[in-house]
Amino acid sequence: MGLALIGALALPALRTWLERDMVLHMLVQLPLIVVGGMLCADATLRRVFKCADWNRLGLTGFIWATMVVVIWATMVVVIWMLPKSIDDAIAQPIVEVMKFLSLGIAGFLLRDALARAPLPLEGFFLGNSVWMMATVGLLYQSSERRLCNAYGLDSQVATGRGLVIFSLMIAVVWVWRISSKASVPHLRTLDRYP
C-alpha cells in the first residue's frame, strides 16, 4: 500500500498537478510521501520480518538508534521546508528523486522509531517539528517577497497559514493520543507490533 501511494504520487500527471500550487506541494504531497514510507514500514515489519527478535527489538530497538532516526528525520523535514529545496525539486529531476527517497525513508524509519520512542523523545521530536512548521508558516505569511521562485506570493501566504494549522493539528492529536493512553492503563504496556 505504501509503495502504491508513493508510486502514484510519483506519476507525472499527479506529481505535476500537486506541484502546481505550493499549498498542494507542501501540505499534501510531502506529508503523503512520509505516510507512504510509514505504510511501507508497517507492511514490512508485520509481514516480512516475523522473527521474535525483530518484533521484540524492532528496527530501532535501542535508544541511541531511535535518537539517530529521529534526528535524521527532523533534518529531512527541515530541508524540505526550505524554499530553495522546493524550487530545486521542481526545476531539477534529481532533486525531485531525492525528495521522494529522503521523505519515504524518513517515514519508513519514523514508523518504528516513534512507536518505540520513550515519551520524552517522542515529545521532543514532535514538539520541534511542530514548532519549526509553525515558524516557517509564520515566515511564509509575513514575508513581503516571494521566497519560492516557482510560486506566487498568494500561494506562499496560503501555505504559511496551512503550515500553522497543520502544526497545531499535529500537536492537538499528539496530546489527545497521550492523554487517552494515560487514562487507559493497559494501553501503556502493549507492544505496538504483535
Side-chain angles (χ1 to χ4, degrees), residues 17-39:
W17 183 76
L18 288 171
E19 291 176 355
R20 71 177 168 76
D21 183 47
M22 191 175 181
V23 174
L24 293 173
H25 192 173
M26 290 191 71
L27 297 173
V28 177
Q29 185 190 46
L30 300 183
L32 283 178
I33 296 170
V34 174
V35 168
M38 288 179 156
L39 291 172

Side-chain angles (χ1 to χ4, degrees), residues 74-178:
T74 302
M75 290 175 20
V76 168
V77 169
V78 167
I79 288 168
W80 293 112
M81 279 196 244
L82 297 174
K84 175 78 169 128
S85 300
I86 297 298
D87 283 339
D88 288 347
I90 292 171
Q92 301 175 28
I94 188 67
V95 178
E96 181 81 1
V97 169
M98 292 307 297
K99 176 180 76 175
F100 274 84
L101 285 175
S102 63
L103 289 170
I105 292 169
F108 186 92
L109 295 174
L110 274 177
R111 171 65 179 98
D112 191 56
L114 289 179
R116 302 204 181 275
L119 187 60
L121 183 61
E122 186 178 339
F124 177 78
F125 169 72
L126 289 173
N128 276 319
S129 297
V130 163
W131 171 79
M132 282 187 292
M133 265 192 276
T135 302
V136 170
L138 292 172
L139 289 172
Y140 280 167
Q141 290 178 67
S142 65
S143 178
E144 295 178 7
R145 294 184 179 175
R146 287 185 327 164
L147 299 176
C148 286
N149 293 328
Y151 300 110
L153 190 57
D154 291 342
S155 184
Q156 176 179 299
V157 171
T159 301
R161 288 184 188 128
L163 283 170
V164 171
I165 292 167
F166 192 59
S167 65
L168 291 173
M169 287 173 39
I170 290 172
V172 167
V173 167
W174 184 73
V175 168
W176 174 78
R177 188 175 66 84
I178 295 305

